[in-house]
Amino acid sequence: MKIVVIQGPNLNMLGHREQNIYGPMKLEEIHAQMEAVAKQNNIEVEFFQSNLEGEIVDRIQECLGDADGIIINPAAYTHTSIAIRDAISAVAMPVVEVHISNIYRREEFRQKSLTAAVCTGQIMGFGPFGYHLAMISMMQILGEIQAAKQAQEAAKQA
Ligand code: DQA
């Protein structure tokens, strides 16, 4: 099983950027923790960060046929990008949206997610721990899909 983690603009600045909102953890540290959980569970995980909308769209599209699920923090594009929303919708696979902060407690322009409605679910407001919750959620979702496929196969053979 393979999960791709996609990080949007300015998330490469974590640890430096607005620590009062996002905390002191660097993106590499968050990814190292996710990698450890993936390893423990025999799951392949790949990380991608970009400040460019089109590159994020490309990376989502590349997941088709290559990955089983996506964990994405579209960052500021959450509130603006119909292109990223359409890409998520197009690949039609489990997608968990993560936000470090609680976007509904912040400025009005952040209180709308264009992407959440096409994701399987959204986790936010728990700081970097949200990425860990997203890994656990994704493993649960993928496990359920696998179990359903196996049950279907067994029913066919019976
Ligand atoms: C964010 C919230 C967004 O509004 C913001 O633009 C970000 C980070 C979060 O993780 O809390 O860059 O997605």
Side-chain angles (χ1 to χ4, degrees), residues 9-11 17 21-22 73-79 98-103 106 109-110 131:
N10 299 307
L11 293 172
R17 156 188 201 211
I21 298 172
Y22 301 113
N73 183 346
Y77 287 137
T78 306
H79 320 296
V98 179
H99 296 287
I100 297 166
S101 63
N102 180 346
I103 58 174
R106 300 185 61 192
F109 63 85
R110 292 185 206 276
Y131 287 102

Side-chain angles (χ1 to χ4, degrees), residues 78-95:
T78 306
H79 320 296
T80 62
S81 180
I82 298 170
I84 291 175
R85 177 196 170 107
D86 286 352
I88 292 170
S89 191
V91 293
M93 64 173 65
V95 178

